[in-house]
Amino acid sequence: MRDLRHPPERVWRMLTEPDALARWAPFTTDRGLDRTGPATLTMIDGSTGMPMEAEVLLAERPRCLEYTWGEDRLRWELEPDGAATRLTLWHTTADRDFVPKIAAGWHQCVRVMELDLDGTPHPPVRGQDAMHYGWADLEAMYRKTLEI
């Protein structure tokens, strides 16, 4: 969960528009995620891209976005709070041991999104580059907090 100083409509665009996603997400997309149906999300690590099938299951602008990514399921909930947004991500995966790694990665990615929204963009933090931005410490913190 992250409280962002921006209205849900702006946050929604960051979650659904290909150009916006390319600035902060761990993947690029072949189409906007603002409507249901199949999509391809390409995981980026340096100069390597790994396409993965996805399916947008729910797109309720600007409140809720849910999609599959490979075998995982992501649900983004946007709750207005005055002119701000409380953003909650539910990432469901089959491998419990992988949860702290996922949490650390999303922590970094959402921070980059927040910087972009604030007008101080930072290059995306993806793949092995995450190690240069405190990923290992975040992963250890989440592992301890979640008792995994």
Side-chain angles (χ1 to χ4, degrees):
M1 179 175 9
R2 181 83 53 103
D3 290 323
L4 303 171
R5 294 182 296 270
H6 306 277
E9 191 61 41
R10 282 198 63 209
V11 177
W12 176 262
R13 287 193 301 269
M14 294 299 288
L15 296 173
T16 61
E17 293 180 3
D19 290 344
L21 283 161
R23 296 194 307 266
W24 70 271
F27 55 75
T28 58
T29 180
D30 67 332
R31 68 168 185 90
L33 302 181
D34 57 345
R35 65 188 188 286
T36 59
T40 301
L41 305 181
T42 301
M43 181 97 162
I44 305 293
D45 189 354
S47 61
T48 303
M50 185 175 76
M52 297 178 72
E53 291 182 19
E55 178 86 18
V56 178
L57 305 169
L58 181 67
E60 294 180 355
R61 181 184 195 125
R63 295 182 28 233
C64 187
L65 175 67
E66 187 170 348
Y67 53 90
T68 62
W69 184 19
E71 295 184 17
D72 291 3
R73 181 177 285 217
L74 286 79
R75 180 180 176 95
W76 299 89
E77 297 177 356
L78 295 79
E79 181 181 340
D81 182 15
T85 303
R86 173 162 283 175
L87 178 65
T88 303
L89 168 61
W90 303 91
H91 186 140
T92 305
T93 187
D95 187 351
R96 179 173 162 74
D97 290 335
F98 206 62
V99 170
K101 298 174 189 319
I102 291 169
W106 282 119
H107 184 115
Q108 290 179 315
C109 289
V110 173
R111 179 62 183 135
V112 172
M113 178 194 352
E114 184 176 33
L115 289 169
D116 192 279
L117 284 164
D118 289 345
T120 55
H122 185 282
V125 176
R126 299 175 172 144
Q128 291 300 311
D129 288 343
M131 298 305 250
H132 303 293
Y133 294 96
W135 181 89
D137 291 337
L138 285 169
E139 191 270 346
M141 184 266 305
Y142 280 111
R143 187 167 296 284
K144 182 177 178 181
T145 300
L146 301 170
E147 298 179 350
I148 296 176

